[in-house]
Amino acid sequence: MSFLSSRTCGAVTFAALAVAALAAGCGARDSGLFGRGASSGQGASGGEGGGGGGGAPPVEPPALERVDLLLVVDNSGTMDDKHGIFARAAQSFVEALIAPPCQKDDGSYVDASDGGDCPSGSTRLFEPVTDLHLGVITTSLGSHGADTCLEARQNDRGHLVNFALGGGTVPTYADLGFLAWDPHGTESPPGETNLEGLGASLGNIVMGVGQTGCGFEATHESWYRFLIEPDPHESIALTPSGEASLVGTDEALLAQRGEFLRPDSLLIVVTLTDENDCSVRDGSLYYYALQRLESGTMTPFHLPRARAACATDPSSSCCRSCGQSPGAGCDESLDPCDLGALPAGQDHINVRCWDQKRRFGIDFLQPVARYRDGLTNAQVADRNGNVVPNPLFAAADDASPTRGPEHVLHVSIVGVPWQDLARQNAQGQPDLDLGLDAVGQKVGGFRSGAELAESGVYDLVLGDPSKYHTSPDARPTDPLMLESIEPRSGTHPITGEKLAPPGSPITANSINGHERTIADNSSLQYACIFPLAMPRDCAGLNDCPCGQPNNTDPVCQADDGSFGTTQLRASAYPGIRHLELARSLDDRALVGSICPAPEQGFGPLVRPLLETVAPLLQ
């Protein structure tokens, strides 16, 4: 049976394409067309588990003075309400890098007026950063060869962006696409010397990304392409057989990378998104994950069904698509392949990136190991499977200090309850108060990367994604972090609140309000929600959850319990792949919630980030 369930794709079946891919030198693959291996983007270490490893530089480099800060901003629909909060947090962090706070011996902070000397009894957390690059990219990488996300702003190609809020562009350093802090005027040409001007420009760019980008957020792949991909492609073309072919080399991106990224800088990557990562693999037929219509028709396209083994064990070698041949020794008697492609109710394009292996028998996404290896290994695989030096760790010259894996920090602000990430007070409740207890120990605030790794938080919010969350022991213990179309049940392990069924009062659960009914199976349940600063009139709008009055969505529910077409709250979905990457990076990763606590914004993440940065800049 072909990939299109008894129809052919360019008259070539999956099996024939698998042979063709191997013959073309695309590298070793596992069973079926969509296999893993070096050519599918996995790092040189070749494994899925563990962190660091592989060819990481064996010698720890010295502390560095320069900082390159890359912001990866989701520019899809529903993000406008989060951009303003993020812009303020980014401005605060940049200001703290440039004018670091002073710290007393008891660990508390005090400000130095006008960046002057620290008050008596305190020392500056680290020396002020005087050489800083600030860049912004988006999560939009276009269609990968499919018929979706074809508009101009839906494919930013991993390039730096400097769109201004309201139109036009924001002036950047030497017209290179990024901002540069240069208070002493030592750069040629000189960079920005006014902190207020730098903050205003950064905020304008963050707000200017808008929300007209691609709805399939390639969060991980966007920064990987900009920072690491050895030979980023210029474009994608479909071959006569229907495969996606990567064409040319994106010299403009490589030029931007060369100007922005210094080999002797501390690199900080901060991502902001309210959905899970959807980094589709490029090449072959992976783009079918995003395909909307049958080629040349107005008939909706639907993927083939998964074989029976996928329902119970997606990691089984017998878990394949009905568009692929069955595995050797696999029982086909229960396979539903004679039923044809999935019906619309089981294959809505809005949730194509969710639970793929179980639902489709194929994982269309890049493995998370690709991104772990890119941030930790001295070597990576190029798009042809060749192992090459990682551009992230390329040395400038023998005399200069060089970035090592410990000088790469990754920060994720994603869909996860803030209560799961916060330190807990003596009563075991989440606490964002940044004070000290009676013996001078820090209490409150978000956990640092090391605390996340040691505290069991990842069991709470992530579970074991390698087992596809098909068994209770593999699922996150926070039921709000389980990706599901159907309403979930359970009790939040920290707050003690039960998940509430659809139609409950908005106060039923303080984290996500309540579950909702998703009649057309086009979305997932929320991890968390939070009030909008400005309510949004959504009457008749298709891109708003409150567009129709007959909804059960907590973001559309008034205090009196009624549901209407005014959006009162923002929402976020479980950021599982972001958390999976964070766990693999251990203490070199921090996580914050895109659903901020009342009156807090993303500010509670700034302090642990500063404390992580401090020893690297001494």
Side-chain angles (χ1 to χ4, degrees), residues 261-591:
L261 185 65
R262 283 81 60 86
D264 56 349
S265 69
L266 168 65
L267 173 64
I268 306 172
V269 181
V270 183
T271 64
L272 176 81
T273 181
D274 61 3
E275 295 196 44
N276 202 3
D277 172 60
C278 183
S279 292
V280 172
R281 306 181 194 220
D282 284 313
S284 193
L285 297 179
Y286 295 112
Y287 68 90
Y288 271 113
L290 309 184
Q291 186 73 9
R292 183 181 299 275
L293 301 174
E294 297 276 12
S295 179
T297 76
M298 296 302 294
T299 303
F301 168 77
H302 294 295
L303 287 164
R305 299 170 188 267
R307 293 182 180 273
C310 301
T312 55
D313 185 8
S315 61
S316 165
S317 61
C318 294
C319 174
R320 298 186 175 199
S321 166
C322 284
Q324 296 170 304
S325 61
C330 297
D331 181 6
E332 302 177 53
S333 62
L334 298 179
D335 290 344
C337 301
D338 290 341
L339 298 178
L342 287 164
Q346 297 179 31
D347 182 30
H348 197 288
I349 193 168
N350 286 357
V351 291
R352 280 272 178 83
C353 292
W354 164 62
D355 202 13
Q356 290 180 334
K357 196 65 162 61
R358 182 186 65 81
R359 297 171 63 215
F360 309 130
I362 298 171
D363 190 347
F364 293 87
L365 305 184
Q366 293 279 11
V368 172
R370 167 182 175 85
Y371 307 111
R372 178 207 67 206
D373 291 347
L375 295 176
T376 57
N377 284 2
Q379 295 177 315
V380 294
D382 67 14
R383 72 192 197 204
N384 295 314
N386 303 308
V387 176
V388 299
N390 186 344
L392 210 57
F393 303 117
D397 54 62
D398 293 338
S400 300
T402 303
R403 179 189 308 107
E406 53 273 76
H407 287 112
V408 179
L409 304 179
H410 190 276
V411 183
S412 300
I413 303 176
V414 297
V416 56
W418 68 263
Q419 292 88 342
D420 293 349
L421 305 174
R423 293 175 178 142
Q424 296 180 8
N425 59 25
Q427 291 71 45
Q429 293 301 306
D431 185 4
L432 291 181
D433 179 10
L434 295 176
L436 301 175
D437 63 17
V439 294
Q441 296 297 312
K442 283 181 260 186
V443 296
F446 279 129
R447 290 179 170 95
S448 67
E451 290 171 324
L452 289 173
E454 297 168 0
S455 63
V457 167
Y458 288 118
D459 291 332
L460 177 71
V461 300
L462 184 59
D464 187 356
S466 70
K467 296 181 180 178
Y468 299 92
H469 293 164
T470 53
S471 60
D473 64 323
R475 294 170 188 157
T477 55
D478 178 356
L480 291 168
M481 291 303 294
L482 181 65
E483 293 182 296
S484 174
I485 292 175
E486 297 299 322
R488 303 157 298 185
S489 61
T491 301
H492 192 272
I494 295 176
T495 68
E497 296 175 287
K498 290 185 177 181
L499 273 63
S504 298
I506 189 60
T507 56
N509 185 286
S510 65
I511 300 177
N512 84 328
H514 52 75
E515 303 294 277
R516 57 199 180 117
T517 301
I518 306 171
D520 60 356
N521 295 334
S522 64
S523 187
L524 302 176
Q525 302 292 336
Y526 298 138
C528 53
I529 62 174
F530 66 96
L532 285 176
M534 295 288 293
R536 177 189 180 197
D537 182 7
C538 295
L541 298 179
N542 293 326
D543 62 347
C544 176
C546 309
Q548 302 300 322
N550 54 337
N551 66 73
T552 62
D553 200 313
V555 304
C556 316
Q557 188 175 15
D559 291 343
D560 64 5
S562 62
F563 297 89
T565 57
T566 299
Q567 184 178 356
L568 301 169
R569 300 167 191 84
S571 61
Y573 305 92
I576 298 300
R577 281 169 57 88
H578 305 98
L579 295 166
E580 191 176 358
L581 175 62
R583 180 165 63 181
S584 74
L585 296 173
D586 200 52
D587 61 352
R588 296 275 71 84
L590 288 89
V591 181

